[in-house]
Amino acid sequence: MSGIPTLREGRTTIRPIRLRDARTLERELAENRGWLRKWEATNPHGPMNFDVRASIRSLQQNARAGLGIPFVIEYDGELAGQLNVSSIAYGSLSSATIGYWVSERFAGKGVTPTAVALATDHCFFGVGLHRMEICIRPENGPSLRVVEKLGFRYEGLRRRYIHINGDWRDHFCFGLTVEEVPAGVLGRWLSGRAPADAATVPAADRAKAARPL
């Protein structure tokens, strides 16, 4: 965990998650239950008791094993959400996946794209990874706007990909490689050079996602 940096841009900061964040995270998750529940991963084999402290310990264990990088997102010093880099692979694959959530009262402030850009740049230029992936439910408009802003490329529809809110859900998947952002994801976005149409989902895939298997 000591190798995870604290990164800032403007009013947004991402920093390593700590056990002492548990109480604040519990409060945020409870207060934002209606906002977050429809996007939460669930257990396909039965109820899942969510223990925030146990979750933090698990994230920290994965970080020590080099398999993940767990961040807390802050806005003006206030805890605003979480961002987790997971499924880190090295060697010939050199890739990872990003997942995140932000409390409703921080939506629309640029917090999430800033946090995603900071984390992706760290993975590319600090960790030495080659590719980052973000998978998003077709109904999740705010998250889709994040990849649109940052210029992640649309890569395809994955049917019934992750168990979310009680069922297997389709996801649109987006990717980015380090060669595409030599000046960094954050720099490209802030300078207005992120391609406006990279994350465009073809109409055929939107139609497929609207039809359950």
Side-chain angles (χ1 to χ4, degrees), residues 43-66:
N43 184 351
H45 304 296
M48 182 170 58
N49 294 323
F50 190 71
D51 182 329
V52 174
R53 290 182 66 84
S55 174
I56 292 173
R57 289 193 185 96
S58 177
L59 290 170
Q60 292 175 332
Q61 182 178 0
N62 280 342
R64 286 190 290 269

Side-chain angles (χ1 to χ4, degrees), residues 136-170:
I136 302 168
R137 282 186 56 187
E139 306 88 350
N140 193 341
S143 279
L144 290 172
R145 285 192 288 275
V146 170
V147 291
E148 290 167 2
K149 289 177 180 179
L150 297 181
F152 274 70
R153 279 178 295 97
Y154 178 68
E155 293 189 335
L157 169 66
R158 295 187 184 174
R159 303 308 304 264
R160 297 177 62 79
Y161 180 52
I162 303 175
H163 203 269
I164 301 285
N165 194 24
D167 202 358
W168 294 103
R169 311 289 183 177
D170 292 349

Side-chain angles (χ1 to χ4, degrees), residues 31-195:
E31 291 178 354
N32 287 270
R33 187 65 175 156
W35 168 254
L36 298 172
R37 183 172 185 173
K38 57 187 173 182
W39 316 122
E40 289 178 354
T42 46
N43 184 351
H45 304 296
M48 182 170 58
N49 294 323
F50 190 71
D51 182 329
V52 174
R53 290 182 66 84
S55 174
I56 292 173
R57 289 193 185 96
S58 177
L59 290 170
Q60 292 175 332
Q61 182 178 0
N62 280 342
R64 286 190 290 269
L67 303 176
I69 309 175
F71 290 103
V72 157
I73 304 171
E74 294 180 338
Y75 185 75
D76 284 346
E78 186 178 359
L79 194 148
Q82 283 182 259
L83 183 149
N84 189 40
V85 180
S86 61
S87 303
I88 295 178
Y90 301 95
S92 58
L93 190 56
S94 292
S95 71
T97 297
I98 281 182
Y100 48 81
W101 64 265
V102 170
S103 297
E104 185 174 12
R105 69 183 183 281
F106 296 103
K109 298 180 182 293
V111 177
T112 309
T114 302
V116 170
L118 287 168
T120 302
D121 283 347
H122 171 64
C123 287
F124 284 166
F125 306 111
V127 180
L129 298 183
H130 174 253
R131 179 179 178 276
M132 185 63 71
E133 178 177 282
I134 299 177
C135 295
I136 302 168
R137 282 186 56 187
E139 306 88 350
N140 193 341
S143 279
L144 290 172
R145 285 192 288 275
V146 170
V147 291
E148 290 167 2
K149 289 177 180 179
L150 297 181
F152 274 70
R153 279 178 295 97
Y154 178 68
E155 293 189 335
L157 169 66
R158 295 187 184 174
R159 303 308 304 264
R160 297 177 62 79
Y161 180 52
I162 303 175
H163 203 269
I164 301 285
N165 194 24
D167 202 358
W168 294 103
R169 311 289 183 177
D170 292 349
H171 281 67
F172 293 146
C173 290
F174 304 83
L176 198 61
T177 61
V178 67
E179 293 91 350
E180 297 171 80
V181 286
V185 182
L186 184 66
R188 187 177 72 163
W189 173 46
L190 295 180
S191 66
R193 291 182 288 110

